[in-house]
Amino acid sequence: MMASPLIRALDRGAVMFMLLLAAIGIAVPLLNLLTPDASPFHVPTYLVALWGKYVCYAILALSIDLIWGYCGILSLGHGAFFALGGYAMGMYLMRQIGTRGVYADPIRPDFMVFLNWPELPVYWYGFNYFAYAALMVLLVPGVLAFVFGWFAFRSRVTGVYLSIITQALTYALTLAFFRNNFGFGGNNGLTDFKDILGFNVQAQPTRAALFALSVLALIIGFMICRTIVSSKLGMVLVSIRDAETRTRFLGYRVESYKLFVFTLSACMAGVAGALYVPQVGIINPGEMSPAASIEIAIWAAVGGRATLIGPIVGAFFVNGAKSWFTQVFPEFWLYFLGALFIAVTLFLPRGIVGLFRKKSSEARE
């Protein structure tokens, strides 16, 4: 009985998509670890790290689709939740450096020694334990989203006004984290990580394991979102998106539904940030900038809102294009991104996945 909502949610397309993700999550690490470097099937370690970053972005895009595609909440501040999860993991990784840092201080990270911090701040306590850091990855973004949502939704702030407020939130956090006296490394952020759970974070097996864990997290996130949107809760969310006033008139506590899904989405973004940091090797305030949060929404729009699969595809497509453009034509990337968003808005309102679904339905007819 407990599994029945999940079983009902997983149609053939969803199962096939998860099997594809699982195959990628297994094949890429194996091709990286078990094939020789000269083999045409070998996946280089730098690609494992790059694709792992894309998978983390896909989790983030999925979290946006849950609230924007199905509940009509366009958050332009999800970069903040992503970065907070990343900072929580980064603080754990910094505490693992110990005496191997430049200044060989067993307690304080190098940037604190450089800035003459007399002792470790209280809010850094506990981050030498992985379990505590993992809890903070969920708790910090979740609590911030809950408090913000409590005031915003109960004040019935909706539409573009809510988007502007979320953008103001992430901008305020960006400015705070840029300050050296805030205790998070300022503009440079947290970097120079050594170990995670005793394993060298730069080692080839560690990177392969992090990629596999990221794919697993994406599959779990997809299953959770699919279960929600296929249930009665999902039907209420869609009704809130399409006719919030009517839904409230029918007796539903719209604010509670919004608060739940917004908090869940923030926790998913925090998990994405936590998996992102050890694979990229750095976390700084740039990850929570307003521009980064806007780009997340573009991933979802390009892939296709309210499809779950679409934002995942959009995250891979847009970031793959970004990696190519910033190497070949770096000065034209922002122009391409803007043109892509305009083109999708005008000609592909349902995104890439929506176009394929339309073509598929026409072919069956």
Side-chain angles (χ1 to χ4, degrees):
M1 296 298 292
M2 293 293 292
S4 58
L6 177 60
I7 293 174
R8 290 197 300 268
L10 298 180
D11 58 15
R12 182 181 178 183
V15 171
M16 293 297 293
F17 181 71
M18 288 195 300
L19 289 175
L20 175 62
L21 290 178
I24 293 172
I26 295 172
V28 170
L30 291 180
L31 292 175
N32 173 250
L33 296 173
L34 302 181
T35 57
D37 294 349
S39 171
F41 299 103
H42 178 72
V43 178
T45 302
Y46 81 91
L47 278 182
V48 175
L50 180 64
W51 293 344
K53 181 176 74 171
Y54 292 170
V55 173
C56 296
Y57 284 154
I59 300 172
L60 182 56
L62 184 65
S63 71
I64 281 288
D65 193 38
L66 180 62
I67 58 172
W68 185 26
Y70 291 92
C71 197
I73 303 172
L74 175 56
S75 171
L76 296 180
H78 254 52
F81 304 129
F82 175 80
L84 288 173
Y87 268 99
M89 182 55 64
M91 292 166 74
Y92 162 76
L93 296 173
M94 292 296 289
R95 292 298 307 275
Q96 302 306 300
I97 296 175
T99 56
R100 292 172 295 174
V102 175
Y103 298 100
D105 191 292
I107 302 297
R108 295 173 299 168
D110 284 338
F111 73 88
M112 290 187 183
V113 179
F114 178 78
L115 295 173
N116 295 319
W117 285 67
E119 59 183 2
L120 192 72
V122 174
Y123 47 85
W124 275 75
Y125 291 176
F127 279 97
N128 52 320
Y129 300 106
F130 181 81
Y132 179 83
L135 177 63
M136 291 299 107
V137 165
L138 294 172
L139 194 61
V140 174
V143 169
L144 177 62
F146 183 86
V147 173
F148 174 84
W150 176 274
F151 290 103
F153 299 140
R154 291 185 180 276
S155 299
R156 298 190 179 182
V157 180
T158 59
V160 66
Y161 302 104
L162 180 64
S163 300
I164 292 173
I165 293 175
T166 57
Q167 193 170 44
L169 171 68
T170 190
Y171 184 62
L173 284 172
T174 302
L175 294 179
F177 275 78
F178 264 118
R179 297 174 60 90
N180 286 326
N181 61 359
F182 204 55
F184 296 100
N187 181 53
N188 295 322
L190 308 178
T191 187
D192 195 31
F193 308 132
K194 309 293 185 185
D195 297 333
I196 180 169
L197 292 174
F199 298 97
N200 184 352
V201 76
Q202 299 292 338
Q204 186 177 2
T206 306
R207 290 191 174 276
L210 287 170
F211 176 86
L213 286 174
S214 299
V215 174
L216 177 61
L218 177 58
I219 293 173
I220 293 174
F222 179 80
M223 290 172 61
I224 292 173
C225 292
R226 184 72 185 178
T227 302
I228 289 174
V229 302
S230 301
S231 65
K232 293 181 180 179
L233 170 61
M235 296 175 65
V236 176
L237 295 179
V238 172
S239 67
I240 292 172
R241 178 196 68 188
D242 296 339
E244 180 174 334
T245 302
R246 293 183 180 181
T247 306
R248 183 178 285 109
F249 179 76
L250 290 173
Y252 289 97
R253 296 179 61 88
V254 170
E255 296 79 11
S256 298
Y257 285 94
K258 283 187 171 184
L259 186 60
F260 167 75
V261 75
F262 188 71
T263 304
L264 175 61
S265 176
C267 291
M268 290 177 59
V271 171
L275 291 167
Y276 169 88
V277 168
Q279 298 183 82
V280 176
I282 188 172
I283 180 69
N284 59 40
E287 298 295 342
M288 64 174 71
S289 66
S293 295
I294 293 173
E295 194 169 324
I296 299 167
I298 294 177
W299 302 342
V302 169
R305 284 194 303 138
T307 61
L308 295 183
I309 296 176
I312 296 174
V313 174
F316 276 94
F317 175 78
V318 175
N319 284 285
K322 182 177 182 180
S323 296
W324 183 81
F325 260 89
T326 51
Q327 291 181 17
V328 182
F329 305 109
E331 65 275 13
F332 294 112
W333 162 244
L334 291 179
Y335 295 105
F336 172 79
L337 183 63
L340 177 65
F341 184 63
I342 293 173
V344 168
T345 303
L346 293 178
F347 304 109
L348 295 175
R350 296 182 180 180
I352 297 173
V353 171
L355 175 64
F356 276 100
R357 288 182 174 178
K358 181 180 179 181
K359 295 295 184 182
S360 178
S361 61
E362 291 177 353
R364 287 196 300 267
E365 292 176 358

